[in-house]
């Protein structure tokens, strides 16, 4: 068993030192302190250890481990205890309520965004302290454990050695496998998209509908080529193919996304129209239509799946815009799909976005807007509700600036 090539977790069991490969999709280091736990441990004791950074390697019943995880999550979500209020006489007179200025609102929401991410990160670390063992073939050697071998094989490839994984992550693998098996019905592609583990799924349908309805450049319909940059599941490449684009080149760097997109276009019968290639943004050549749906929020991802959500320092957005003119045919058009949630959170300004267009030598032909309808839009308990309620998703039609540029539309 080759443990040296991978992170290793160490613990003592039965007075004997043990070790195994450590698996963590989010790149968390193996816990330093590990105790063996089973059905006799109480939820309060388990939560206390987990909060202190001590991991619990479960040796009891698997279904009881799931119940323990639920109990830990319930304790993690409890609001902190408030300190006793001081005597009323010690309180100063309450000042009159002050209106929140427009400039202060984004700063407040940005702070709420960062605090929410910190809280979620801390919660993930605490819940990630409940661990389960895996055999070399990904079998779980616990009573009443499900068969997770296919789910693990899909995410990690063939198993070769015993390992330890957090129960929370293992349940995520199981959920991803079920989602991949069922797929998601996408009317615009005339079939189902099957997302793979670690590949961002098209749960926000409004951007798919934008691509399905925006007017295609005339050159694309008959014999033109379109690029889909950062294709992910391949859903937008499939939409373009269904709309009659003769050839679509879909790119990605993530091996999981490449496999996922290829399987989806083959399953939809579009493999002769859509070519999925590994590339850092652009493939070779030029296209009459270049499509990109980059991550919408400029923040640092904390796990591989978050690369579909967060674009640290606008790297993908700016990389796409700055290189776009060299890959766009004369008279061609680019479609940039972007939510303005980051603007409402104070993480990016509209002026910054328009300035990036101008710096890249691009002009706005048209902006097509739609409003999202996912459940969090109406969740008033969400600290970011004000931003989500105001969010607009846009398809920006962009062209290279000509000698006599047309005025920006709907900017």
């Amino acid at each position: 068993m080759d443990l040296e090539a991978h992170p290793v977790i160490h613990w003592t069991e039965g007075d004997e030192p043990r070790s195994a490969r450590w698996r963590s999709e989010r790149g968390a280091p193996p816990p330093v302190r590990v105790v063996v736990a089973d059905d006799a441990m109480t939820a309060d004791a388990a939560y206390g250890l987990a909060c202190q950074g001590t991991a619990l390697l479960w040796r009891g019943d698997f279904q009881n481990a799931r119940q323990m995880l639920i109990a830990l999550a319930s304790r993690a979500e409890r609001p902190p205890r408030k300190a006793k209020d001081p005597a009323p006489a010690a309180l100063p007179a309450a000042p009159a309520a002050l209106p929140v200025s427009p400039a202060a609102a984004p700063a407040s929401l940005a702070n709420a965004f960062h605090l929410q991410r910190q809280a979620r990160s801390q919660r993930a670390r605490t819940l990630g302290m409940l661990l389960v063992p895996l055999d070399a073939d990904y079998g779980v050697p616990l009573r009443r454990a499900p068969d997770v071998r296919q789910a693990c094989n899909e995410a990690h490839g063939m198993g070769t050695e015993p390992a330890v994984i957090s129960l929370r992550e293992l349940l995520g693998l199981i959920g991803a496998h079920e989602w991949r098996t069922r797929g998601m019905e996408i009317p615009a592609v005339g079939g189902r998209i099957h997302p793979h583990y670690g590949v961002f799924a098209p749960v926000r349908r409004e951007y798919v509908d934008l691509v399905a309805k925006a007017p295609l450049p005339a050159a694309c319909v008959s014999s033109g080529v379109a690029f889909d940059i950062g294709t992910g599941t391949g859903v937008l490449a499939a939409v373009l193919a269904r709309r009659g684009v003769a050839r679509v080149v879909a790119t990605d760097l993530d091996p999981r996304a490449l496999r996922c997109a290829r399987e989806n276009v083959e399953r939809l019968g579009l493999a002769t129209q859509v070519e999925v290639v590994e590339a850092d943004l652009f493939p070779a050549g030029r296209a009459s239509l270049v499509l990109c749906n980059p991550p919408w929020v400029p923040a640092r991802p904390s796990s591989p799946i978050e690369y579909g959500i967060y674009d640290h320092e606008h790297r993908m957005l700016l990389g796409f815009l700055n290189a776009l003119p060299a890959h766009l045919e004369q008279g061609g058009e680019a479609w940039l799909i972007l939510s303005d949630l980051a603007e409402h959170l104070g993480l990016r300004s509209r002026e910054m976005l328009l300035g990036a267009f101008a710096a890249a030598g691009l002009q706005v032909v048209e902006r097509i807007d739609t409003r999202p309808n996912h459940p969090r839009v109406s969740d008033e308990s969400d600290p970011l509700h004000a931003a989500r309620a105001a969010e607009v998703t846009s398809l920006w039609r962009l062209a290279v600036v000509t000698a006599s540029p047309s005025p920006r539309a709907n900017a």
Side-chain angles (χ1 to χ4, degrees), residues 219-236:
C220 251
V221 178
S222 55
S223 59
V225 176
F227 293 163
D228 176 22
I229 307 302
T231 193
T233 61
V235 61
L236 297 184

mmCIF file of all heavy atoms in Angstrom, residues 219-236:
data_model
loop_
_atom_site.group_PDB
_atom_site.id
_atom_site.type_symbol
_atom_site.label_atom_id
_atom_site.label_comp_id
_atom_site.label_asym_id
_atom_site.label_seq_id
_atom_site.Cartn_x
_atom_site.Cartn_y
_atom_site.Cartn_z
ATOM 1 N N ALA A 219 -24.013 34.390 -39.393
ATOM 2 C CA ALA A 219 -22.933 33.531 -39.863
ATOM 3 C C ALA A 219 -22.894 32.190 -39.140
ATOM 4 O O ALA A 219 -22.288 31.228 -39.618
ATOM 5 C CB ALA A 219 -21.590 34.244 -39.692
ATOM 6 N N CYS A 220 -23.543 32.114 -37.975
ATOM 7 C CA CYS A 220 -23.488 30.888 -37.168
ATOM 8 C C CYS A 220 -24.462 29.827 -37.635
ATOM 9 O O CYS A 220 -24.254 28.646 -37.415
ATOM 10 C CB CYS A 220 -23.786 31.209 -35.706
ATOM 11 S SG CYS A 220 -22.333 31.065 -34.670
ATOM 12 N N VAL A 221 -25.540 30.248 -38.255
ATOM 13 C CA VAL A 221 -26.634 29.315 -38.510
ATOM 14 C C VAL A 221 -26.286 28.320 -39.603
ATOM 15 O O VAL A 221 -26.584 27.130 -39.493
ATOM 16 C CB VAL A 221 -27.910 30.088 -38.871
ATOM 17 C CG1 VAL A 221 -29.053 29.137 -39.183
ATOM 18 C CG2 VAL A 221 -28.288 31.026 -37.733
ATOM 19 N N SER A 222 -25.630 28.758 -40.644
ATOM 20 C CA SER A 222 -25.406 27.877 -41.793
ATOM 21 C C SER A 222 -24.110 27.095 -41.697
ATOM 22 O O SER A 222 -24.102 25.874 -41.697
ATOM 23 C CB SER A 222 -25.439 28.702 -43.082
ATOM 24 O OG SER A 222 -24.491 29.774 -42.993
ATOM 25 N N SER A 223 -22.992 27.820 -41.596
ATOM 26 C CA SER A 223 -21.708 27.123 -41.647
ATOM 27 C C SER A 223 -20.712 27.632 -40.614
ATOM 28 O O SER A 223 -19.542 27.273 -40.663
ATOM 29 C CB SER A 223 -21.089 27.273 -43.043
ATOM 30 O OG SER A 223 -20.906 28.650 -43.351
ATOM 31 N N GLY A 224 -21.144 28.472 -39.699
ATOM 32 C CA GLY A 224 -20.216 29.076 -38.761
ATOM 33 C C GLY A 224 -19.799 28.143 -37.643
ATOM 34 O O GLY A 224 -20.326 27.037 -37.464
ATOM 35 N N VAL A 225 -18.814 28.617 -36.877
ATOM 36 C CA VAL A 225 -18.291 27.877 -35.734
ATOM 37 C C VAL A 225 -18.567 28.701 -34.482
ATOM 38 O O VAL A 225 -18.416 29.923 -34.483
ATOM 39 C CB VAL A 225 -16.780 27.625 -35.881
ATOM 40 C CG1 VAL A 225 -16.216 26.942 -34.639
ATOM 41 C CG2 VAL A 225 -16.504 26.785 -37.127
ATOM 42 N N ALA A 226 -18.942 28.024 -33.423
ATOM 43 C CA ALA A 226 -19.141 28.672 -32.130
ATOM 44 C C ALA A 226 -18.212 28.032 -31.113
ATOM 45 O O ALA A 226 -17.939 26.828 -31.170
ATOM 46 C CB ALA A 226 -20.589 28.548 -31.669
ATOM 47 N N PHE A 227 -17.722 28.843 -30.169
ATOM 48 C CA PHE A 227 -16.923 28.346 -29.039
ATOM 49 C C PHE A 227 -17.768 28.477 -27.769
ATOM 50 O O PHE A 227 -18.410 29.509 -27.552
ATOM 51 C CB PHE A 227 -15.640 29.161 -28.850
ATOM 52 C CG PHE A 227 -14.629 29.031 -29.948
ATOM 53 C CD1 PHE A 227 -13.600 29.974 -30.071
ATOM 54 C CD2 PHE A 227 -14.674 27.996 -30.866
ATOM 55 C CE1 PHE A 227 -12.645 29.873 -31.069
ATOM 56 C CE2 PHE A 227 -13.726 27.887 -31.879
ATOM 57 C CZ PHE A 227 -12.715 28.827 -31.978
ATOM 58 N N ASP A 228 -17.730 27.439 -26.940
ATOM 59 C CA ASP A 228 -18.324 27.509 -25.600
ATOM 60 C C ASP A 228 -17.179 27.390 -24.608
ATOM 61 O O ASP A 228 -16.616 26.309 -24.423
ATOM 62 C CB ASP A 228 -19.340 26.372 -25.407
ATOM 63 C CG ASP A 228 -19.911 26.334 -23.992
ATOM 64 O OD1 ASP A 228 -19.862 27.368 -23.306
ATOM 65 O OD2 ASP A 228 -20.406 25.261 -23.577
ATOM 66 N N ILE A 229 -16.830 28.504 -23.982
ATOM 67 C CA ILE A 229 -15.646 28.573 -23.126
ATOM 68 C C ILE A 229 -16.006 28.195 -21.688
ATOM 69 O O ILE A 229 -16.868 28.816 -21.076
ATOM 70 C CB ILE A 229 -15.039 29.997 -23.165
ATOM 71 C CG1 ILE A 229 -14.801 30.434 -24.614
ATOM 72 C CG2 ILE A 229 -13.751 30.041 -22.350
ATOM 73 C CD1 ILE A 229 -13.890 29.520 -25.417
ATOM 74 N N GLY A 230 -15.325 27.183 -21.150
ATOM 75 C CA GLY A 230 -15.634 26.701 -19.813
ATOM 76 C C GLY A 230 -16.950 25.951 -19.819
ATOM 77 O O GLY A 230 -17.880 26.278 -19.080
ATOM 78 N N THR A 231 -17.047 24.903 -20.599
ATOM 79 C CA THR A 231 -18.335 24.267 -20.902
ATOM 80 C C THR A 231 -18.981 23.548 -19.731
ATOM 81 O O THR A 231 -20.194 23.421 -19.677
ATOM 82 C CB THR A 231 -18.178 23.306 -22.091
ATOM 83 O OG1 THR A 231 -19.465 22.930 -22.577
ATOM 84 C CG2 THR A 231 -17.368 22.063 -21.702
ATOM 85 N N GLY A 232 -18.200 23.056 -18.762
ATOM 86 C CA GLY A 232 -18.799 22.352 -17.624
ATOM 87 C C GLY A 232 -19.508 21.080 -18.055
ATOM 88 O O GLY A 232 -18.898 20.171 -18.610
ATOM 89 N N THR A 233 -20.827 21.022 -17.855
ATOM 90 C CA THR A 233 -21.601 19.844 -18.250
ATOM 91 C C THR A 233 -21.823 19.763 -19.755
ATOM 92 O O THR A 233 -22.320 18.751 -20.251
ATOM 93 C CB THR A 233 -22.981 19.852 -17.580
ATOM 94 O OG1 THR A 233 -23.698 21.019 -18.011
ATOM 95 C CG2 THR A 233 -22.869 19.833 -16.062
ATOM 96 N N GLY A 234 -21.514 20.845 -20.483
ATOM 97 C CA GLY A 234 -21.768 20.886 -21.915
ATOM 98 C C GLY A 234 -23.162 21.367 -22.274
ATOM 99 O O GLY A 234 -23.545 21.358 -23.443
ATOM 100 N N VAL A 235 -23.917 21.840 -21.293
ATOM 101 C CA VAL A 235 -25.317 22.186 -21.543
ATOM 102 C C VAL A 235 -25.459 23.322 -22.549
ATOM 103 O O VAL A 235 -26.319 23.258 -23.450
ATOM 104 C CB VAL A 235 -26.040 22.522 -20.214
ATOM 105 C CG1 VAL A 235 -25.416 23.714 -19.505
ATOM 106 C CG2 VAL A 235 -27.522 22.769 -20.465
ATOM 107 N N LEU A 236 -24.634 24.364 -22.467
ATOM 108 C CA LEU A 236 -24.789 25.498 -23.384
ATOM 109 C C LEU A 236 -24.297 25.147 -24.778
ATOM 110 O O LEU A 236 -24.870 25.630 -25.775
ATOM 111 C CB LEU A 236 -24.064 26.726 -22.831
ATOM 112 C CG LEU A 236 -24.606 27.246 -21.493
ATOM 113 C CD1 LEU A 236 -23.881 28.516 -21.077
ATOM 114 C CD2 LEU A 236 -26.114 27.487 -21.560
#
